[in-house]
Each structure stands twice: as C-alpha cells, then as structure tokens.
Amino acid sequence: MLKEIGGFLSSRQAHIRLFGPPEVSLDGVPLKLSRRGIALLTYLVLTERPQHRDTLAALLWSGPNSMNNLRVELSKLRAAGLELGPNGAPLVSFTADSDVQQWLSSAQNGAANLKAIQGLPLEGLEDVGGAAYQDWIQARRQRLIQLLTPAMNRLYLADTSEEFRRQLQDSAARLGILLVSLPQTGIGIQIVDEVSSALQEALKAATREPRLLVYSGRPGSGRGATLRAVSAAEGWLLAEVDVVKHPGLLVAAMIMRIIESLPPEDRPLLEQVLISAETPEANMIRLASLLRSLHRPLMLVLHGTRMLQAESVQHLEFLMNWPVPLVMVLMSSVADTAPLLRMLDEQARTRNRRLLSQPRLFPSALDGRVNSDPDSNGRVPAALKVLQQAEGWLAAAQVFLPQVSTSEFRFSTTERLRRLLLLDVDSAVPGFLETLSRLAALWTPFTEAQAALHLQDVVPAAQVEAVLARAMDANILVRAPAHITVRLPGLKWRVPDGDDPLVFASELQRAAFAGTLDANLRARLRRVAAVDDGAPTGWLPLLWQPASRNMERRSSQPRASTWLPGGYHLIVEQGQFHVLRLSVPQPNTQELTLRWDAPAGLPWTVTAQLGAFSGNRVDYPLGVCLSAGREVLAPPHMPPLNQLFSISGLTTKAGLELTIRASDLILTINQVSIGGQEMEF
C-alpha cells in the first residue's frame, strides 16, 4: 500500500537509518551520499513535510553560494534515484521508512531488535550546516530518545528474561536512557485496590457512551498492570500511545496503535485511513466512523500527558462525543494531574470524566510474601515495616522486600528508585531541582520566610513564592498544620484554615532531593535551621499492662486508608488500625489526634502494639487526652516493641481522644472498646 506524505507518492522503497551515523538505502541497497546530502534527507524525513528551498539552503550552507550548493546537492540525490518532488519546484519533499519506526513497531509487539541500537540517533551530524541546523539536530535527537524511552521501559517491565533485560539495559545506556520501570523482584505483590472495580464500572458504562478517565499515580505504582489486567478480563482491546506535542502526529500515532491492537481480520478497515500529520481533523473523523463500524470495545491509553497541547485536547473531545464503546485513559503523574485537569476544564467540555488515583498498598498486598507474625524473634511485622518505609508505593516495596531479613534499620534505596522519585520534577517545577534540594536539607516544617532566607543565593526573592506555589501545585510540598484531628469511624478529617508551614509530601522524595546536594552544604543548611523543642512539660505517665494475643479480630469492617498532610498514613484492614509514619526526628513534630465521640465518664480500653518509634524529647507514640491534660507513653517508660499492651481510663466530654506525636512510627491498634462496646475504626 502506498502512503501519502506531503502530497507526494513514492514508488520505490527508501529507508533511512537513524541509530548511529545516518545512512540512506533504496530498495535495500545503501547509497553513497555526502554528509550534506544525508543531513538534507534527514531533515526532510523527520520534519515530515515539504520544505522550501530557501529554508534548506540557509540551514545547510552559508554565504552567497548557498542556493547553488543546494541545487548541486539535489542533482546528486536525484541521480542516486531518490524522488524529491518535481524538478525545479520551490518545495522539496522526501519520505522514507526508518529504523526507529521499525524498532518502535516491533517493540509494541514485544519483539524489539536490540542489535539495531548501535549508537545515538543522528550521530555524526552535529557539525554539519550552520548553528540553526546543529541546534535542530540536538533537539531532534532528544525528541527521538524521548520517543524511545517509554517503549523501552514497557519492555523492561514486561519481559522476565534476565538476559533480555541486560541487553536492554546496554542498549538504553548507549542512548543515555536510565530504565525506570522496575523489573519483578521475584516476589510477586498482589495489587488489590478499588481502582479495578472503578475501571470495570467505567467499561460497563462506556458500552453506552464513551468515558474519559484521568488516572493519576507515581511511576511504578502498578497502574499499567491494573489496566492490562482489567481490559483483558473484560475482553476489551487495549491500545497504548505515547503523547507527542504535534497534534497531527498524535492522531497518526493513535491510529497506528489502534490498528496494531486489532485482530488481523479487522485491520484492513482502519488501514483505509491515510496517516498524514497534515489532516488530523479529517483523520479523527474517519477514525471515529470506523471505530463505530467495528463494534469492538476499545481502551485507549495515553502516556506522557504533560505533552498534550490544547489542539490535541479538542481532538480527544471530538472523539469522546461519538457513540462508540470507548474508554480513554490519560495516564498522569501526581505532579502533572492538577495542570492536566485545569487544561481539560479550559479546553474541553467532556462529559463522563472521572479522576482515579492509584492507591497505596495495603498490608494484605504482602500476604504470603513476608513473615507477618509479630512474635517472630520480637521484630516488627515485616509487612508493616515494608509499607512504612515504602510509603505504600509498589516500586519501593519491590526493592525493600528482599532487605527485610537483613536490615533492622531504614532500608537502602537504589539509583533507579531515586530517579523515579525525581522523575517529574523538571516538568512540574522546571529548572528548580537545586532549589527543592536545598529545601529538602532544612528542618521541617519551614515557612516561606525561612525558605527565602536559605534560597537567597540561588533564587531571587521575588521568585521564591512562585516556586513554592508550583511545588505545592505538583504535590511536592504540602501545608502541614501543627495538629490534625481524625474522627472515627470513617477516617474523617480536615485541615484547619490558615497559612501553615510547609513539608515535603513524601519523605522518600525529600531524601532523594537532599541526596543530590553536596554533603557539606546539606549539613550546613540543616545545622543553621535547627530548633530546640525544649524539655517536655505537663505530662503524666500513661500506665500500660501486657495484653493477651488470643483475641477475635473483626474481618467484616470495610478496609480504608488515608494519607494526611505531614506524613501520617492511616490504614484500616482486617480488623486492625495501623498508624505509619516515615520521617526523621525534627522540631515541631506534627501531632495527630484520633477521636471517638462518646458521653463522658464511660470506661474505655485500647489494645495496641508498637512496632517502631523515634522522635525528639517532646515526642511520644501514644497518649490520651484527659480533662486536666494528657497521659503519654514516653521513653523510657514505653512497652517493649512488638509487645501487645492495653491502656484504659474514663472518657471526657470530648469522648475518647488518643494522641500521637512521632517522626518515625509503626503503631497497630487491635481493639478499642467504650462502655463495654467494641468500636469501629
């Protein structure tokens, strides 16, 4: 089948190699061409449109003879058998298949030829032509690498062969790509989440009318696996597309990926669509019409949504208004979600839109993978230790699981994890990695004034507010009140109004930022910002006693979780209430109150277990609010780690209020009873 690009039909098969030094062949025979000739053809192929002679002459030559030089070069190329459009016409065009296109096509089917990647794209053309052409080469090389990166990551995640992964890593290294999709660790983690049921509901509803899902989450959080599992289980076609900025090229990529996802008997219908970057609207109309005639439900997944342009959003809006069984999924990083939602609100009026956020792991996700027996050698249940230090993030849990039996302290991260943690920073807050890294070295929480003081040598004072606002918009920084109250049952809470100080939303990400700094600078920043909390005052010792482990645990209560601004992670599952926090000892540690409403004067009992705790002198893992103050478990009077204990007392006018103030914490509450009645979490 002939392809029309730029209005010119080629009857001979031209091919251009873009990996390594470019080479052009015709009908399989390499051509002996000058570097200027190859540079000219490369420009025509990659711009994918006819170019004016004046443009080509100015790019590749300088001086008064540039047009004559172009005529000579075009004559040589035509003599070699290449078709460049009508002789003497002001526009010059050339089209050819490329090894990059072939590689991406084979990668989509899981059979990429890794030997084809022999060097950087467009290698050897850096010194051809003028400065404008050289800048274009550098920019185009980065664009090609960006195009290859997600495909290589998907291969890396999907293939289980160690030898293939090693070869893929070598190929990626030649391109300067660090693979960020984590391989399986050999310990499978069952991703059990509510997103699967939400996806199934969307698929069912989309048989009547298309649905648009914005699927937010961290890289390596299991979103891709969830989509593939649900689409396969429900019998839906799945097509995945990497977003590019050019609206026409994005439509063309969507068509190609949809064609590849179809059974062979259906492909001829869609192959009638001429893939041209110049007519995206016409292509979209033909695509919608043909999808309607196919009667096959389709899940279309768009990766890299930060590249979406306003015109592309309007194309997607058009497709969503056709009566076809379609679920369109925009895969957004956490940092890019808020800007994406704003753009959708501004540029489209798409009905049936829903935001899905990939949840953090629950303890049950690690069932059978680690020893969860709290009596095992007096250690904290391994599942909770992994979840606490991974902050419920699948990618980190996969790395930390093998360290459970060898590390009693904080698990070590890998370079790949650190890259994942910093992956979205440049897009969310471009050019401010150093700025955020300096903030990561400060004691937290910190105010805007403190941030400006310690950034004065790298960021103008007038820009600090804008940088902090963008970091908050990207959920890198959050405002953390000194105190948060959570009402139970139901995990109901709200942040009080006011300009609270700032903290990093993720301790793992904060540590990754801080790790990019010079050690001396990191120590200096932390030293000058330190604050002494002083000695604890007004506390009474909280009396505890050992408790029996022979307890019936509720299993009927629905599981739930919430992540509070400041780092406390609350999980309800299998009749237990877990409070996890990963941080480092810091001044002004945030305090958490858990409140059950009840009349005053009723007897209460709480049975719990402490798995880990650290903090400053005024911090404590568990306390109880009394009418005249509070009682707390303060070192050195705490129960031994991993020993089940109970505390008791009488309710106040506020009911039962348990308080927590800890930097590093694993606390499990097994049972709460008030007035002889067992309370829900």
Side-chain angles (χ1 to χ4, degrees), residues 41-63:
L41 296 175
T42 301
Y43 187 79
L44 291 173
V45 167
L46 292 179
T47 53
E48 297 187 304
R49 64 184 65 185
Q51 297 293 326
H52 200 281
R53 288 169 176 259
D54 291 343
T55 301
L56 297 174
L59 278 173
L60 293 166
W61 288 273
S62 59

Side-chain angles (χ1 to χ4, degrees), residues 189-417:
I189 297 178
Q190 180 69 32
I191 305 174
V192 182
D193 57 68
E194 286 66 32
V195 169
S196 295
S197 60
L199 286 170
Q200 291 168 343
E201 292 175 6
L203 295 182
K204 183 178 180 180
T207 58
R208 300 183 299 274
E209 194 172 19
R211 292 296 190 271
L212 175 64
L213 304 177
V214 177
Y215 196 176
S216 176
R218 273 180 170 176
S221 59
R223 291 177 297 163
T226 302
L227 290 174
R228 286 188 285 272
V230 171
S231 61
E234 299 297 322
W236 279 55
L237 297 173
L238 178 69
E240 300 186 61
V241 183
D242 298 309
V243 174
V244 294
K245 285 186 176 181
H246 191 291
L249 294 179
L250 177 58
V251 174
M254 290 167 57
I255 295 172
M256 288 188 290
R257 290 291 181 256
I258 292 171
I259 291 174
E260 291 169 354
S261 72
L262 288 171
E265 63 270 19
D266 289 334
R267 292 185 182 181
L269 287 173
L270 283 184
E271 286 176 350
Q272 298 173 21
V273 180
L274 291 177
I275 302 176
S276 169
E278 302 302 317
T279 58
E281 291 82 5
N283 279 342
M284 189 64 81
I285 293 171
R286 296 190 187 102
L287 172 61
S289 179
L290 289 171
L291 283 177
R292 185 178 182 183
S293 66
L294 284 172
H295 299 292
R296 288 188 179 274
L298 172 68
M299 181 185 290
L300 180 60
V301 183
L302 275 64
H303 298 271
T305 54
R306 71 171 66 99
M307 306 285 284
L308 270 177
Q309 303 298 298
E311 185 178 346
S312 293
V313 171
Q314 293 163 10
H315 292 159
L316 301 182
E317 179 188 21
F318 168 80
L319 190 59
M320 291 294 298
N321 279 292
W322 277 75
V324 294
L326 171 68
V327 171
M328 187 178 299
V329 184
L330 305 183
M331 298 283 275
S332 173
S333 69
V334 173
D336 291 326
T337 298
L340 174 62
L341 292 175
R342 283 197 298 271
M343 183 169 67
L344 290 174
D345 288 336
E346 294 168 359
Q347 301 296 333
R349 295 184 178 179
T350 304
R351 296 173 297 169
N352 304 321
R353 189 183 84 193
R354 181 175 179 181
L355 172 64
L356 298 179
S357 296
Q358 185 74 346
R360 300 170 193 262
L361 296 175
F362 281 83
S364 61
L366 303 179
D367 283 350
R369 307 295 183 258
V370 293
N371 186 354
S372 294
D373 182 0
D375 286 329
S376 179
N377 299 321
R379 292 196 299 267
V380 62
L384 293 180
K385 185 176 181 181
V386 170
L387 288 183
Q388 180 224 15
Q389 298 202 28
E391 297 182 331
W393 179 32
L394 173 63
Q398 288 177 310
V399 171
F400 293 163
L401 274 170
Q403 302 181 43
V404 168
S405 60
T406 60
S407 175
E408 292 292 331
F409 306 103
R410 190 156 172 173
F411 299 138
S412 59
T413 60
T414 62
E415 179 61 26
R416 183 173 291 110
L417 269 184

Side-chain angles (χ1 to χ4, degrees), residues 438-645:
R438 282 176 172 250
L439 295 179
L442 300 179
W443 292 101
T444 57
F446 53 83
T447 64
E448 284 92 333
Q450 290 171 322
L453 176 64
H454 295 287
L455 295 176
Q456 57 187 344
D457 56 336
V458 292
V459 178
Q463 295 183 15
V464 171
E465 183 178 352
V467 173
L468 296 179
R470 295 185 69 175
M472 284 188 281
D473 191 44
N475 202 44
I476 297 171
L477 296 176
V478 296
R479 293 197 181 276
H483 183 274
I484 292 182
T485 296
V486 176
R487 292 183 175 272
L488 298 165
L491 300 179
K492 297 181 283 290
W493 61 275
R494 69 180 183 86
V495 175
D497 296 333
D499 292 334
D500 294 304
L502 299 169
V503 299
F504 280 82
S506 163
E507 165 60 17
L508 284 176
Q509 192 170 55
R510 185 209 64 79
F513 279 122
T516 66
L517 291 176
D518 173 78
N520 292 329
L521 175 60
R522 186 166 64 246
R524 178 172 62 81
L525 289 169
R526 201 161 181 80
R527 183 171 58 252
V528 299
V531 177
D532 190 352
D533 259 348
T537 59
W539 285 352
L540 298 173
L542 180 60
L543 301 180
W544 60 272
Q545 58 184 4
S548 171
R549 294 189 182 277
N550 297 323
M551 302 170 51
E552 288 189 16
R553 294 180 178 176
R554 298 180 304 272
S555 58
S556 58
Q557 184 175 353
R559 70 178 191 172
S561 73
T562 189
W563 185 268
L564 303 177
Y568 288 106
H569 188 190
L570 310 183
I571 304 172
V572 176
E573 188 179 43
Q574 297 177 348
Q576 294 182 308
F577 184 92
H578 306 288
V579 183
L580 310 179
R581 194 179 191 218
L582 177 72
S583 186
V584 292
Q586 54 196 300
N588 306 315
T589 306
Q590 186 184 61
E591 189 171 68
L592 169 67
T593 293
L594 307 174
R595 176 182 294 172
W596 285 265
D597 293 327
L602 295 179
W604 58 262
T605 301
V606 173
T607 305
Q609 173 188 318
L610 186 62
F613 166 75
S614 67
N616 284 339
R617 287 178 293 173
V618 295
D619 296 342
Y620 55 90
L622 186 61
V624 182
C625 288
L626 306 174
S627 298
R630 73 185 63 186
E631 294 179 354
V632 304
L633 293 174
H637 306 296
M638 296 189 307
L641 295 183
N642 306 303
Q643 176 176 325
L644 200 68
F645 65 92

Side-chain angles (χ1 to χ4, degrees), residues 66-97:
S66 58
M67 187 58 70
N68 287 333
N69 292 332
L70 174 63
R71 292 192 189 99
V72 171
E73 198 62 53
L74 291 176
S75 297
K76 293 179 180 178
L77 294 174
R78 288 193 175 92
L82 299 176
E83 300 180 56
L84 305 173
N87 195 6
L91 296 179
V92 179
S93 62
F94 177 69
T95 181
D97 291 331

